[in-house]
Amino acid sequence: MNDDDILTSENLIEIVENQLEDNNPKKVKETLMRLRMTGSTQEEAIEFIACALMVEIYDVAKGEGEFNLKRYEQHLDMLPEMPWQDDLED
């Protein structure tokens, strides 16, 4: 793997910002609004969303299938809790 293959937190945040701008998937904007209404800053909310996105990208990179929009949306619904985090550490 070379440096060009590494997905950074900045890349994830840029992807989330693009999703927000495009309103696709709509659940991303809904999640941002929900997190803001429950006390998260804009930056914190985007970082939470990026964490949910990372799960999907991680699985694709491991060769475990395609991007799973349904699961991504389920993870967005769980935010700010991140119960999947333990699975990534195993």
Side-chain angles (χ1 to χ4, degrees):
M1 177 182 275
N2 63 40
D3 289 340
D4 293 338
D5 295 333
I6 297 172
L7 189 64
T8 66
S9 60
E10 290 85 12
N11 296 131
L12 289 168
I13 288 170
E14 181 179 352
I15 292 168
V16 170
E17 289 172 343
N18 288 339
Q19 290 177 335
L20 288 166
E21 184 176 321
D22 296 342
N23 198 29
N24 185 20
K26 290 181 185 211
K27 179 66 82 172
V28 173
K29 189 169 278 187
E30 292 169 7
T31 302
L32 175 70
M33 292 170 56
R34 178 177 54 80
L35 291 170
R36 293 296 317 267
M37 290 175 59
T38 58
S40 295
T41 66
Q42 178 92 1
E43 184 177 324
E44 290 169 335
I46 290 173
E47 287 173 358
F48 282 135
I49 295 167
C51 288
L53 177 62
M54 179 188 65
V55 174
E56 293 310 314
I57 293 173
Y58 179 76
D59 282 350
V60 170
K62 286 189 345 184
E64 294 185 7
E66 298 178 5
F67 186 88
N68 185 331
L69 179 61
K70 182 177 179 180
R71 185 175 60 183
Y72 178 41
E73 291 179 343
Q74 289 171 341
H75 286 164
L76 291 172
D77 284 339
M78 293 178 200
L79 293 173
E81 300 298 319
M82 293 185 269
W84 64 83
Q85 201 170 21
D86 291 338
D87 293 341
L88 294 176
E89 294 171 1
D90 292 338

